[in-house]
Amino acid sequence: MDLTDLWRWPIRMLGVAGPGSGGPVMRWCSVLLGLLLLRLGLQALRGLVLPGTTPVVIPGVNAVCRASYGRFVLGAGDEYGRRYSSFPAGLRKEMREMARGMFSFGYDNYMKYAFPEDELNPILCRGRGPDHGDPSNLNINDVLGNYSLTLIDALDTLAVMGNATEFHRAVRLVIDTVSFDKNSTVQVFEATIRILGSLLSAHIILTDTKQPFGNMTLSDYDNELLHMAHDLAVRLLPAFENTKTGMPYPRVNLKKGVPPDSRNETCTAGAGSLLVEFGILSRLLGDSTFEWVARRAVRALWSLRSNNTGLLGNVVNIQTGQWVGKQSGLGAGLDSFYEYLLKSYILFGEEEDLEMFNEAYKSIQNHLRRGREACNEGEGDPPLYVNVNMLNGQLMNTWIDSLQAFFPGLQVLKGDIEDAICLHAFYYAIWKRYGALPERYNWQLQAPDVSFYPLRPELVESTYLLYQATKNPFYLHVGMDILLSLEKHAKAKCGYATIHHVVDKSQEDRMESFFLSETCKYLYLLFDEDNPLHRVDNKYLFTTEGHLIPLDPRLRDTSWQDIFHHKSKVPQTHDKLSQTKLRTGNSSSNCYRVPEERRFSLPLKSVYMRQIDQMVGLL
């Protein structure tokens, strides 16, 4: 067969005569059909084209191919396709049970060796509480309040896994043994998301008339968890007093109030990520106080954003309103501020929250996003969100942190699935290289800047939400890689330990409570297709600590709308998201799902996956 036969061959296979075998019309039809089939063949091989090369373009066909490219992502010999394109049902069940076993191993050992202390030291098999000998040890004392933190934080994970017996026992232990009348100075943010949020979630599970997780009710339950949540929130309220801006002090003593030597500096996320838990409490109690102080803090921060870029910094003085830290990014210090603008709107329906989120998201896209315009087509570097100066949008450094891996999950809730796919793939590539996610990664040096991994959940959370949005088996493989890495590198004698260094895999004797409340929960849900959480009529939202909150009409009805009335300074825009478009990630009716034909191909083209792997030094 010579070269001229290459395009005649497909025509002959279809029984159509080639040139020389018919009239002019038949010859032109043959040529056009041959070109079309050749184009289809080239599309099938696009995954093998290297970045920067110029693709073949046939006029008039480009628009059609752009709309249907997902069908032609994989080639028969593509190594990414062979690895990720399917996930057997039996393997999925095996991974689900492994995730359940991971949670049980950590939880059971906490109860055996650590309870009633706050955390488990999984290497030495003992409990850990506040460091009373060194009050300046904020890494420990900000989180541990001598209130059985890990037990409380894990309550709704027990329910999600259907373990009613242990859920009931744990609830009774919390009611009978936990008190917040302690001489403990804790961070307001951590106490809110870990303790307050979990108490509210467990209370709602106990009192839910639908009982989706099985019978989780207790016959003698008398709203004790709600009363405990109220008691804790009252003890946190002094943080909001005596500040000129309305933003809270970062720390409060549960018995004595704000310490005399308290700092006036707080991070944006710490001051502005209290609205979900405080708002839920207010609406369940019918007391506007808690939502009012949290909303006032959000508005105060929002008023301080840059007039030039619309961005916020990461550290602010609560008395002067001056920015102490001018770095603007998506990681530590800012992450959950953006998250709670959107989630507050989804829960409470306050238009102001959505307007702020949309405006913030626009500023993020304009000033933080680097790389090519589209995730899954075009040339250039893959999209990446960097740290910039809030005043002018100039790059401040070349590292990103592991907390930023939450952002693809938030983009799923926003409906920006394509961009979420790209950013998630970047963090997954880092995980593949190290078997963990370093706390900070320098994308220019292709190396960790801060090398420990405390079993954080953000990448798992985004993986779970992207799977719910796309149903693509690729994300089951990602979850399996994470699960197997944790089993291999983090498992210790009595639980799962912080990875002290992602390169040498040395361990540190600490198992933070979010490992059970978030990491294990998201891994389990990823593989548990039939979980009640995934039914169409069950719509839930996850707090920033992974606690379940139903989308309940009770949370949208209040008797104090006049108190929160606030004339918006953000103009209405035509691209504003409506409530019907803001579906939760677990809703099967999500109108922003990736098209059906792409569920059996890679979510990101092979050429771009290979590009990202090269970017982090895997290839």
Side-chain angles (χ1 to χ4, degrees), residues 25-51:
V25 174
M26 181 62 74
R27 286 197 298 272
W28 277 110
C29 290
S30 301
V31 170
L32 289 174
L33 184 57
L35 287 172
L36 178 60
L37 290 171
L38 180 61
R39 173 64 176 177
L40 294 178
L42 289 171
Q43 285 286 0
L45 295 173
R46 281 183 70 182
L48 300 177
V49 180
L50 294 176

Side-chain angles (χ1 to χ4, degrees), residues 197 200-201 204 273-284 291 295 339-354 357 410 413 539-558 560-561 578-580 582-584 586:
L200 293 170
S201 177
I204 292 172
S273 304
L274 310 172
L275 185 52
V276 166
E277 289 82 3
F278 275 49
I280 293 169
L281 180 63
S282 274
R283 291 167 189 246
L284 291 179
E291 182 171 348
R295 191 170 290 281
E339 177 185 2
Y340 269 20
L341 290 179
L342 181 55
K343 290 185 175 180
S344 295
Y345 169 69
I346 295 173
L347 280 176
F348 308 135
E350 299 288 344
E351 295 291 330
E352 175 192 4
D353 299 331
L354 178 59
F357 174 78
L410 186 63
L413 294 184
K539 292 182 172 61
Y540 287 82
L541 194 72
F542 293 96
T543 71
T544 195
E545 185 72 8
H547 296 307
L548 287 172
I549 303 295
L551 302 191
D552 190 328
R554 291 181 301 167
L555 300 180
R556 286 179 171 246
D557 296 330
T558 67
W560 56 75
Q561 291 296 337
S578 69
Q579 294 180 21
T580 56
L582 283 171
R583 308 277 186 181
T584 49
N586 63 309

Side-chain angles (χ1 to χ4, degrees), residues 147 152 178-182 195 199 228-229 231-232 235 254:
Y147 38 36
I152 294 177
V178 174
S179 168
F180 300 123
D181 190 26
K182 300 287 178 65
I195 300 292
L199 291 172
M228 292 180 69
D231 176 45
L232 175 60
R235 295 173 185 275
L254 296 178

Side-chain angles (χ1 to χ4, degrees), residues 307-440:
N307 292 327
N308 180 37
T309 65
L311 298 172
L312 296 90
N314 59 343
V315 181
V316 66
N317 187 298
I318 64 172
Q319 301 295 353
T320 66
Q322 297 296 310
W323 289 107
V324 180
K326 295 182 176 63
Q327 176 175 297
S328 191
L330 297 177
L334 277 155
D335 50 353
S336 53
F337 175 78
Y338 299 122
E339 177 185 2
Y340 269 20
L341 290 179
L342 181 55
K343 290 185 175 180
S344 295
Y345 169 69
I346 295 173
L347 280 176
F348 308 135
E350 299 288 344
E351 295 291 330
E352 175 192 4
D353 299 331
L354 178 59
E355 291 169 1
M356 286 189 287
F357 174 78
N358 281 338
E359 194 67 21
Y361 195 80
K362 184 188 303 182
S363 296
I364 289 168
Q365 297 302 313
N366 288 340
H367 299 287
L368 271 62
R369 192 181 188 277
R370 301 288 192 270
R372 61 178 176 270
E373 181 177 353
C375 167
N376 228 350
E377 62 181 27
E379 300 181 9
D381 293 332
L384 182 67
Y385 293 84
V386 299
N387 299 318
V388 304
N389 187 302
M390 63 169 288
L391 301 177
N392 53 30
Q394 295 299 308
L395 185 71
M396 287 193 72
N397 51 59
T398 58
W399 55 260
I400 54 177
D401 65 52
S402 64
L403 289 168
Q404 186 184 318
F406 92 98
F407 196 66
L410 186 63
Q411 290 181 305
V412 169
L413 294 184
K414 162 75 167 67
D416 196 354
I417 305 294
E418 291 292 347
D419 218 47
I421 285 170
C422 257
L423 185 58
H424 174 275
F426 177 70
Y427 275 94
Y428 174 49
I430 300 173
W431 185 283
K432 284 191 295 183
R433 179 174 178 184
Y434 298 106
L437 211 55
E439 191 73 350
R440 283 186 186 175

Side-chain angles (χ1 to χ4, degrees), residues 41-315:
L42 289 171
Q43 285 286 0
L45 295 173
R46 281 183 70 182
L48 300 177
V49 180
L50 294 176
T53 59
T54 303
V56 178
V57 177
I58 299 178
V61 181
N62 193 42
V64 176
C65 293
R66 186 175 295 139
S68 58
Y69 64 82
R71 301 177 188 178
F72 312 113
V73 171
L74 297 179
D78 186 279
E79 73 272 21
Y80 291 92
R82 287 196 302 269
R83 178 177 179 186
Y84 296 116
S85 61
S86 65
F87 202 92
L91 182 59
R92 183 172 186 157
K93 291 179 181 178
E94 182 182 340
M95 292 299 102
R96 181 193 65 194
E97 294 311 305
M98 183 177 289
R100 188 201 303 271
M102 177 177 287
F103 171 82
S104 297
F105 186 68
Y107 176 83
D108 291 346
N109 279 295
Y110 164 77
M111 295 304 296
K112 181 178 180 180
Y113 296 107
F115 176 79
E117 295 192 71
D118 288 307
E119 286 182 350
L120 169 68
N121 287 358
I123 297 175
L124 295 178
C125 303
R126 63 177 63 162
R128 180 201 294 265
D131 187 353
H132 295 297
D134 182 9
S136 66
N137 186 0
L138 300 180
N139 185 45
I140 296 297
N141 293 329
D142 270 358
V143 178
L144 309 189
N146 194 21
Y147 38 36
S148 301
L149 170 65
T150 296
L151 175 63
I152 294 177
D153 216 0
L155 288 176
D156 65 338
T157 308
L158 291 167
V160 166
M161 294 185 178
N163 192 343
T165 301
E166 188 57 30
F167 176 72
H168 292 154
R169 186 174 85 97
V171 167
R172 293 187 187 280
L173 279 172
V174 170
I175 293 172
D176 293 340
T177 67
V178 174
S179 168
F180 300 123
D181 190 26
K182 300 287 178 65
N183 185 23
S184 298
T185 298
V186 296
Q187 192 183 87
V188 175
F189 170 73
E190 295 290 357
T192 297
I193 66 169
R194 300 201 197 200
I195 300 292
L196 184 61
S198 186
L199 291 172
L200 293 170
S201 177
H203 165 74
I204 292 172
I205 290 170
L206 283 162
T207 57
D208 189 348
T209 56
K210 294 193 298 182
Q211 289 296 303
F213 303 108
N215 186 9
M216 297 291 165
T217 62
L218 282 171
S219 58
D220 58 345
Y221 179 69
D222 191 24
N223 296 328
E224 287 92 344
L225 296 186
L226 181 60
H227 298 323
M228 292 180 69
H230 183 211
D231 176 45
L232 175 60
V234 168
R235 295 173 185 275
L236 298 177
L237 281 180
F240 295 86
E241 300 171 0
N242 301 317
T243 75
K244 296 178 181 178
T245 62
M247 291 180 284
Y249 285 93
R251 296 171 186 86
V252 66
N253 185 283
L254 296 178
K255 182 172 280 191
K256 303 175 183 178
V258 177
D261 58 348
S262 184
R263 299 178 182 178
N264 288 326
E265 298 174 359
T266 189
C267 70
T268 303
S273 304
L274 310 172
L275 185 52
V276 166
E277 289 82 3
F278 275 49
I280 293 169
L281 180 63
S282 274
R283 291 167 189 246
L284 291 179
L285 293 175
D287 180 351
S288 64
T289 303
F290 306 100
E291 182 171 348
W292 186 82
V293 296
R295 191 170 290 281
R296 182 181 60 174
V298 172
R299 289 172 177 166
L301 282 164
W302 186 249
S303 70
L304 298 176
R305 67 194 189 282
S306 167
N307 292 327
N308 180 37
T309 65
L311 298 172
L312 296 90
N314 59 343
V315 181

Side-chain angles (χ1 to χ4, degrees), residues 210-214 464 468 471 525 528-540 584-589 593:
K210 294 193 298 182
Q211 289 296 303
F213 303 108
Y464 165 68
Q468 289 303 311
K471 296 300 181 183
L525 287 171
D528 189 23
E529 182 75 10
D530 299 323
N531 195 279
L533 195 66
H534 300 144
R535 295 175 189 160
V536 175
D537 57 338
N538 291 333
K539 292 182 172 61
Y540 287 82
T584 49
N586 63 309
S587 171
S588 61
S589 59
R593 285 180 180 276

